[in-house]
Amino acid sequence: MFNLASEATPAGGNMLITFLPFIAMFALLYFLLIRPQQKRQKSRNMLLANLKKGDKVTTIGGMHGTIMELADDIVLLRVNDSTKLTFDRSAINNVVQSTAAATEE
């Protein structure tokens, strides 16, 4: 009449197969999107933390200048002989020439 053996089988293996595509998609998203973004953010934070007086930098807007003064979140750039501009530290895009590299030349 009733097949009790088929009703008593555990569904643990079937549950793993159900969640396996979701686990695989999360792992793929982690390694393709999340991890590279964290690495870029870490390197950008290191760049902003290692700014020094005398570094030649470029801002996000494309302004080139030399760092004259540094505060916690403010950078004073010398653009030419008579022009000094104040920027947020986060506006610095990259270091063109570091003071350490300038002293080695």
Side-chain angles (χ1 to χ4, degrees), residues 65-79:
T66 304
I67 296 177
M68 298 301 294
E69 294 180 29
L70 284 167
D72 288 336
D73 58 348
I74 302 288
V75 176
L76 182 68
L77 291 182
R78 184 183 74 214
V79 179

Side-chain angles (χ1 to χ4, degrees), residues 26-62:
F26 178 75
L28 184 69
L29 285 175
Y30 177 78
F31 284 108
L32 291 179
L33 298 175
I34 298 169
R35 189 166 178 243
Q37 177 62 30
Q38 287 175 342
K39 289 175 104 176
R40 280 191 299 270
Q41 186 67 34
K42 185 178 179 182
S43 68
R44 174 150 174 80
N45 288 341
M46 290 292 292
L47 175 117
L48 294 177
N50 292 330
L51 290 175
K52 297 179 290 299
K53 186 176 177 180
D55 285 350
K56 295 183 186 216
V57 296
T58 304
T59 64
I60 292 173

Side-chain angles (χ1 to χ4, degrees), residues 3 10 14 19 44 79 81 87 89:
N3 190 355
N14 193 15
F19 286 116
R44 174 150 174 80
V79 179
D81 293 334
F87 288 94
R89 188 182 282 250

Side-chain angles (χ1 to χ4, degrees), residues 10 24 84 86:
K84 294 180 182 174
T86 304

